[in-house]
Amino acid sequence: MSKNQYNSHLSISSNRYNTHLLLDDSGIKVVTPELVELVLKKLTNAGALALSFFRWAEKQQGFEHTTGIYNALIDSLGKIKQFQLIWDIVYCMMRKGILTNETFGLIMRRYARARRSGDAVDAFEKMERYGLRQELFDLNCLLGTLCKSKNARKAQDVFDEMVKTRKRFVPDVKTYAVLLEGWGEARNLVMLKEVYREMRDDGTVEPDVVVYGIIIGAYCKCGKYNEALELLREMEGNGKCKPSAHVYCTLINGLGSEMRLGEALEIFERAKEAVSPLGIPTYNAVVGSYCWSMRFNDAYQMVEEMRRNSVGPNSRTYDIIIHHLIRVNRTEEAYFLFQRMAGDFGCEPNLNTYAMIVRMLCQEVERVDLAIQVWDQMKDNGVVPGMHMFASLVNSLCHECKLDDACRYFQEMLDLGIRPPGRLYDNLKEALLDNGKVDEAISIGEKLDNIRKCPWTG
């Protein structure tokens, strides 16, 4: 599916027909719900392909409409902002009796990620219209979604209206935790302390280890390490709420990023005494701390210690090292480590790994051909690129005047249903016009207009 090439000058229905022919020729006659859901999740960055596959799978033996399948499709379509089609699917799910609160959680998240916070709140309000009862869990989901989309102010307004003004919900520790995390991410300690005060004044909600961890994380983000360490000491001396591995991990990451390596390693030793067994994230935090201080040999030794202790490493471990190698311009070493990940170390690169390597190669002079090799390897492994990866590759090809290739990858981006950022289209059009390729520039513009104007239907 990921290798199939659409044609943006064709209608969506024509492209779907071509995809169905390819699938028919694949020899697959029976599909299970589990297989369909798995494929749709693999196509999470390719909404057009996901929809085509779903419509083909519906006609196959063994297919069954399930909540999981519809939710995977909705998540994929949400990434390319096909919200009208999503609501059509929601209506179908309601008629089939398989609509769940989780479906609305996905819709709220996609609206929030698209910077449409008002629509996210409206989706929450629509739940009852579709026969679902709003629970505190759903409110917490909405608040968390808004906070993760860097809109803590909107989340706070929703909380104030739903809880304080309309008194529709009684908050629990999770409710306060998501607000605290939102204000922490926004580095607004004034509001964080105000929400924490309200939680304590509530009288029915006791802060737990998650809440303390969020506050420590917020202190670290704001550079208030003395306050963070003081809170850790308070937890360690508190018999009721001992620090978790995540709390130690947060401090190690924070201190390490400030190149306070000695303190980070001290916290690591305290973590080993307090928590057993320590998981991969804590070791990864130490690996990152060494990298921040340019002690890559120590980072590699920590990876070996992880192996000896049967604690990973995982792809995230290598992503951390690769990120820091790129940060200090040790790009050859980063590429060498990337090449060894799957074969020598048994850790398959993920989308994030490929994105870092492609972006690195695109930023180097005359390395875009190597970036394309990595791109092809990624697709051979069934990983579908996202919008930012396409932008890096197309911009680099424009910079090196490889305009036929730039148009081809821009076309592939459109074919997957990904709407390019305006700046990317402007760069490509400018490069085409500067090189006298007026017809190509007009053609690309027409294809983009067709995608913008053409309504998607189920």
Side-chain angles (χ1 to χ4, degrees):
M1 288 292 294
S2 63
K3 294 177 184 178
N4 176 39
Q5 296 298 309
Y6 271 35
N7 292 294
S8 292
H9 66 277
L10 296 177
S11 67
I12 291 173
S13 58
S14 297
N15 273 313
R16 186 182 299 165
Y17 175 74
N18 292 339
T19 304
H20 290 186
L21 289 178
L22 289 170
L23 286 165
D24 288 338
D25 290 341
S26 69
I28 299 170
K29 300 300 181 185
V30 179
V31 297
T32 64
E34 293 77 16
L35 174 63
V36 175
E37 185 175 342
L38 182 61
V39 172
L40 289 172
K41 287 179 177 178
K42 283 280 188 179
L43 295 173
T44 184
N45 287 326
L49 282 178
L51 182 61
S52 290
F53 172 74
F54 171 77
R55 291 309 182 201
W56 173 83
E58 279 187 309
K59 301 179 178 68
Q60 308 309 306
Q61 181 182 345
F63 178 84
E64 177 185 346
H65 289 101
T66 68
T67 301
I69 287 173
Y70 273 124
N71 284 352
L73 180 61
I74 285 172
D75 198 40
S76 180
L77 292 171
K79 284 191 175 183
I80 53 175
K81 304 175 186 177
Q82 290 295 330
F83 292 107
Q84 182 54 57
L85 179 54
I86 284 173
W87 286 112
D88 292 342
I89 293 171
V90 168
Y91 179 71
C92 289
M93 294 177 72
M94 180 183 69
R95 289 177 56 197
K96 295 178 185 296
I98 56 174
L99 184 61
T100 67
N101 293 36
E102 181 187 357
T103 307
F104 277 82
L106 290 170
I107 297 170
M108 289 186 283
R109 182 167 73 239
R110 287 298 158 213
Y111 270 131
R113 296 275 175 88
R115 301 183 184 279
R116 294 171 60 173
S117 58
D119 288 320
V121 177
D122 287 344
F124 174 79
E125 295 286 12
K126 284 180 179 177
M127 290 178 65
E128 290 185 338
R129 195 183 309 170
Y130 283 86
L132 298 174
R133 179 179 176 180
Q134 296 162 325
E135 305 288 351
L136 179 61
F137 175 86
D138 304 305
L139 176 64
N140 292 344
C141 177
L142 173 61
L143 298 177
T145 290
L146 293 170
C147 288
K148 284 183 173 63
S149 300
K150 299 182 180 180
N151 205 337
R153 180 71 266 168
K154 182 67 174 180
Q156 186 69 53
D157 291 344
V158 171
F159 172 85
D160 291 345
E161 180 186 357
M162 297 284 183
V163 174
K164 296 181 182 178
T165 304
R166 297 165 63 182
K167 301 188 185 303
R168 288 179 57 188
F169 300 93
V170 177
D172 62 5
V173 67
K174 173 68 174 178
T175 315
Y176 288 108
V178 294
L179 287 176
L180 289 167
E181 189 165 25
W183 289 120
E185 288 292 330
R187 291 173 166 77
N188 189 328
L189 292 183
V190 173
M191 283 303 303
L192 178 134
K193 290 176 180 178
E194 174 63 20
V195 171
Y196 183 61
R197 182 193 62 76
E198 286 185 14
M199 180 178 67
R200 300 304 297 259
D201 290 347
D202 183 290
T204 62
V205 180
E206 278 293 318
D208 60 9
V209 65
V210 174
V211 167
Y212 282 118
I214 289 169
I215 296 173
I216 286 175
Y219 282 144
C220 290
K221 284 184 176 66
C222 296
K224 304 289 186 180
Y225 290 100
N226 290 337
E227 287 92 333
L229 291 168
E230 179 60 34
L231 190 52
L232 176 67
R233 282 190 288 271
E234 180 184 320
M235 292 182 71
E236 288 176 331
N238 184 345
K240 293 193 298 183
C241 196
K242 293 290 186 182
S244 64
H246 177 73
V247 170
Y248 287 112
C249 184
T250 299
L251 272 164
I252 295 167
N253 274 319
L255 292 166
S257 68
E258 292 292 312
M259 284 170 279
R260 294 167 64 167
L261 181 61
E263 292 169 277
L265 295 177
E266 179 191 343
I267 296 297
F268 180 54
E269 293 303 319
R270 284 158 67 176
K272 287 196 284 189
E273 292 179 6
V275 181
S276 180
L278 281 177
I280 296 177
T282 311
Y283 281 93
N284 282 350
V286 179
V287 169
S289 296
Y290 278 126
C291 291
W292 277 112
S293 295
M294 299 279 288
R295 289 173 55 173
F296 288 100
N297 287 336
D298 289 314
Y300 289 128
Q301 288 179 18
M302 179 55 62
V303 173
E304 292 304 317
E305 181 178 327
M306 293 173 73
R307 283 201 184 90
R308 288 194 300 271
N309 293 336
S310 299
V311 186
N314 59 7
S315 295
R316 174 65 183 155
T317 313
Y318 293 105
D319 282 357
I320 291 168
I321 300 174
I322 288 171
H323 164 78
H324 285 282
L325 289 170
I326 294 171
R327 179 178 63 85
V328 297
N329 295 317
R330 290 168 63 167
T331 54
E332 293 296 334
E333 188 176 346
Y335 185 68
F336 178 70
L337 184 59
F338 161 73
Q339 287 181 308
R340 296 185 63 194
M341 276 182 66
D344 296 349
F345 304 140
C347 290
E348 288 290 339
N350 54 35
L351 179 59
N352 183 61
T353 319
Y354 286 117
M356 285 192 295
I357 295 298
V358 168
R359 185 168 59 248
M360 176 191 80
L361 294 171
C362 286
Q363 289 172 350
E364 295 189 344
V365 178
E366 296 183 352
R367 300 292 295 274
V368 70
D369 288 341
L370 190 55
I372 291 174
Q373 290 181 28
V374 173
W375 185 283
D376 292 340
Q377 174 189 331
M378 171 186 67
K379 291 187 69 178
D380 286 342
N381 289 332
V383 178
V384 179
M387 183 264 287
H388 295 292
M389 287 188 70
F390 276 107
S392 294
L393 188 57
V394 171
N395 280 328
S396 181
L397 289 166
C398 288
H399 183 71
E400 296 195 11
C401 288
K402 296 183 176 182
L403 298 182
D404 289 341
D405 286 334
C407 289
R408 178 163 61 88
Y409 284 103
F410 190 86
Q411 173 79 49
E412 182 179 334
M413 187 179 187
L414 300 183
D415 294 342
L416 291 174
I418 300 172
R419 294 189 181 186
R423 186 59 187 161
L424 177 62
Y425 167 65
D426 291 341
N427 289 346
L428 178 56
K429 181 176 71 172
E430 183 179 341
L432 290 169
L433 293 176
D434 287 347
N435 286 270
K437 295 179 176 290
V438 178
D439 291 342
E440 289 86 344
I442 293 173
S443 176
I444 286 288
E446 289 175 347
K447 290 172 181 176
L448 189 55
D449 284 341
N450 286 339
I451 285 182
R452 286 171 175 163
K453 295 174 182 176
C454 180
W456 285 36
T457 62

